[in-house]
Coordinates of all heavy atoms in Angstrom, one line a residue:
A1 N 7.0 15.7 -18.5 CA 7.1 16.0 -17.1 C 5.8 15.6 -16.4 O 5.9 15.1 -15.2 CB 7.3 17.5 -16.9
S2 N 4.7 15.7 -17.0 CA 3.4 15.2 -16.4 C 3.4 13.7 -16.2 O 2.8 13.3 -15.2 CB 2.2 15.7 -17.2 OG 2.3 15.1 -18.5
L3 N 4.0 12.9 -17.0 CA 4.1 11.5 -16.8 C 5.0 11.2 -15.6 O 4.6 10.3 -14.8 CB 4.8 10.8 -18.0 CG 5.0 9.3 -17.9 CD1 3.7 8.6 -17.8 CD2 5.8 8.8 -19.1
G4 N 6.0 11.9 -15.3 CA 6.8 11.7 -14.1 C 6.1 12.1 -12.9 O 6.1 11.4 -11.9
N5 N 5.3 13.2 -12.9 CA 4.5 13.6 -11.8 C 3.4 12.6 -11.5 O 3.2 12.3 -10.3 CB 3.9 15.0 -12.1 CG 4.9 16.1 -11.9 OD1 5.9 16.0 -11.2 ND2 4.6 17.2 -12.6
L6 N 2.8 12.1 -12.5 CA 1.8 11.1 -12.4 C 2.3 9.8 -11.8 O 1.7 9.2 -10.9 CB 1.1 10.8 -13.7 CG -0.1 9.8 -13.6 CD1 -1.2 10.4 -12.8 CD2 -0.6 9.5 -15.0
A7 N 3.5 9.4 -12.2 CA 4.2 8.2 -11.7 C 4.5 8.4 -10.2 O 4.3 7.5 -9.4 CB 5.4 7.9 -12.5
L8 N 5.0 9.6 -9.8 CA 5.3 9.8 -8.4 C 4.1 9.9 -7.6 O 4.1 9.3 -6.4 CB 6.1 11.1 -8.3 CG 7.5 11.1 -8.8 CD1 8.1 12.5 -8.7 CD2 8.3 10.1 -8.0
L9 N 3.0 10.5 -8.0 CA 1.8 10.5 -7.3 C 1.2 9.1 -7.1 O 0.8 8.7 -6.0 CB 0.8 11.4 -8.0 CG -0.6 11.5 -7.3 CD1 -0.5 12.1 -5.9 CD2 -1.6 12.3 -8.2
A10 N 1.2 8.3 -8.2 CA 0.7 6.9 -8.1 C 1.6 6.1 -7.2 O 1.1 5.3 -6.4 CB 0.7 6.3 -9.5
A11 N 2.9 6.3 -7.2 CA 3.8 5.6 -6.3 C 3.5 5.9 -4.8 O 3.5 5.0 -4.0 CB 5.2 5.9 -6.6
F12 N 3.2 7.2 -4.6 CA 2.8 7.6 -3.2 C 1.5 6.9 -2.7 O 1.5 6.4 -1.6 CB 2.7 9.1 -3.1 CG 2.2 9.6 -1.8 CD1 3.0 9.6 -0.7 CD2 0.9 10.0 -1.6 CE1 2.6 10.0 0.6 CE2 0.4 10.4 -0.4 CZ 1.3 10.4 0.7
V13 N 0.5 6.9 -3.6 CA -0.8 6.2 -3.3 C -0.6 4.8 -3.1 O -1.1 4.2 -2.1 CB -1.8 6.5 -4.4 CG1 -3.1 5.7 -4.1 CG2 -2.1 8.0 -4.4
V14 N 0.1 4.1 -3.9 CA 0.3 2.7 -3.8 C 1.2 2.3 -2.6 O 1.0 1.3 -1.9 CB 0.9 2.1 -5.2 CG1 1.3 0.6 -5.0 CG2 0.0 2.3 -6.3
A15 N 2.2 3.1 -2.3 CA 3.0 2.9 -1.1 C 2.2 3.0 0.1 O 2.4 2.3 1.1 CB 4.2 3.9 -1.1
S16 N 1.3 4.0 0.2 CA 0.4 4.2 1.3 C -0.4 2.9 1.5 O -0.6 2.4 2.6 CB -0.4 5.4 1.2 OG 0.4 6.5 1.1
Y17 N -1.0 2.4 0.4 CA -1.8 1.2 0.4 C -1.0 0.0 0.9 O -1.4 -0.8 1.7 CB -2.4 0.9 -1.0 CG -3.0 -0.5 -1.1 CD1 -4.2 -0.8 -0.6 CD2 -2.2 -1.5 -1.7 CE1 -4.7 -2.0 -0.6 CE2 -2.8 -2.8 -1.8 CZ -4.0 -3.0 -1.3 OH -4.5 -4.3 -1.3
A18 N 0.2 -0.1 0.4 CA 1.1 -1.2 0.7 C 1.4 -1.2 2.2 O 1.4 -2.3 2.9 CB 2.4 -1.2 -0.1
A19 N 1.8 -0.1 2.8 CA 2.1 0.0 4.2 C 0.9 -0.3 5.0 O 1.0 -1.1 6.0 CB 2.6 1.4 4.5
T20 N -0.3 0.2 4.7 CA -1.5 0.0 5.4 C -1.9 -1.5 5.4 O -2.2 -2.1 6.4 CB -2.6 0.9 4.9 OG1 -2.2 2.2 5.0 CG2 -3.9 0.6 5.8
I21 N -1.9 -2.1 4.2 CA -2.4 -3.4 4.1 C -1.4 -4.4 4.7 O -1.8 -5.5 5.2 CB -2.8 -3.8 2.6 CG1 -3.8 -4.9 2.5 CG2 -1.5 -4.1 1.8 CD1 -5.1 -4.6 2.9
S22 N -0.1 -4.1 4.7 CA 0.9 -5.0 5.3 C 0.7 -5.0 6.8 O 0.8 -6.0 7.5 CB 2.3 -4.5 4.9 OG 2.5 -4.7 3.5
V23 N 0.5 -3.8 7.4 CA 0.3 -3.8 8.9 C -1.0 -4.5 9.3 O -1.0 -5.3 10.2 CB 0.2 -2.3 9.4 CG1 -0.3 -2.2 10.8 CG2 1.6 -1.6 9.2
V24 N -2.1 -4.3 8.5 CA -3.3 -5.0 8.8 C -3.2 -6.5 8.6 O -3.6 -7.3 9.5 CB -4.5 -4.4 7.8 CG1 -5.7 -5.3 7.9 CG2 -4.8 -3.0 8.2
G25 N -2.5 -6.9 7.6 CA -2.2 -8.3 7.4 C -1.4 -8.9 8.5 O -1.6 -10.1 8.9
A26 N -0.4 -8.2 9.0 CA 0.4 -8.7 10.1 C -0.4 -8.8 11.4 O -0.2 -9.8 12.2 CB 1.6 -7.8 10.3
R27 N -1.2 -7.8 11.7 CA -2.0 -7.9 12.9 C -3.1 -9.0 12.8 O -3.3 -9.6 13.9 CB -2.7 -6.6 13.1 CG -1.7 -5.5 13.6 CD -2.5 -4.2 13.9 NE -1.5 -3.2 14.4 CZ -1.6 -2.6 15.5 NH1 -2.5 -2.8 16.3 NH2 -0.6 -1.7 15.8
R28 N -3.6 -9.2 11.7 CA -4.6 -10.3 11.5 C -4.0 -11.6 11.2 O -4.8 -12.6 11.1 CB -5.7 -9.9 10.5 CG -6.5 -8.7 10.8 CD -7.5 -8.5 9.8 NE -8.4 -7.3 10.1 CZ -9.3 -6.9 9.3 NH1 -9.6 -7.5 8.1 NH2 -10.0 -5.8 9.6
R29 N -2.7 -11.6 10.9 CA -2.0 -12.8 10.5 C -2.7 -13.4 9.2 O -3.0 -14.6 9.1 CB -2.0 -13.9 11.6 CG -1.2 -13.4 12.8 CD -1.1 -14.5 13.8 NE -0.6 -14.0 15.1 CZ 0.6 -14.0 15.4 NH1 1.5 -14.5 14.6 NH2 1.0 -13.5 16.6
S30 N -3.0 -12.5 8.3 CA -3.7 -12.8 7.0 C -2.6 -12.9 5.9 O -2.1 -11.8 5.5 CB -4.8 -11.8 6.8 OG -5.3 -12.0 5.5
T31 N -2.4 -14.0 5.4 CA -1.4 -14.2 4.3 C -1.8 -13.4 3.0 O -1.0 -12.8 2.4 CB -1.2 -15.7 4.0 OG1 -0.8 -16.3 5.2 CG2 -0.1 -15.9 3.0
P32 N -3.1 -13.5 2.6 CA -3.5 -12.7 1.4 C -3.2 -11.2 1.5 O -2.8 -10.6 0.6 CB -4.9 -13.0 1.2 CG -5.2 -14.3 1.9 CD -4.2 -14.3 3.1
F33 N -3.4 -10.6 2.7 CA -3.2 -9.2 2.9 C -1.7 -8.9 2.8 O -1.2 -7.9 2.2 CB -3.7 -8.7 4.2 CG -5.2 -8.4 4.3 CD1 -6.0 -8.7 3.2 CD2 -5.7 -7.9 5.4 CE1 -7.3 -8.5 3.2 CE2 -7.1 -7.6 5.5 CZ -7.9 -7.9 4.4
I34 N -0.9 -9.8 3.4 CA 0.6 -9.6 3.4 C 1.1 -9.7 1.9 O 1.9 -8.9 1.5 CB 1.3 -10.6 4.3 CG1 0.9 -10.2 5.8 CG2 2.8 -10.5 4.1 CD1 1.3 -11.2 6.8

């Protein structure tokens, strides 16, 4: 169960990063960020 909880927590953190970096990349028109 702790593996499942850890996977969900990591997915939340990575999803937050993905959303943030995608918006920043779109605003700056930066292909590496996207």
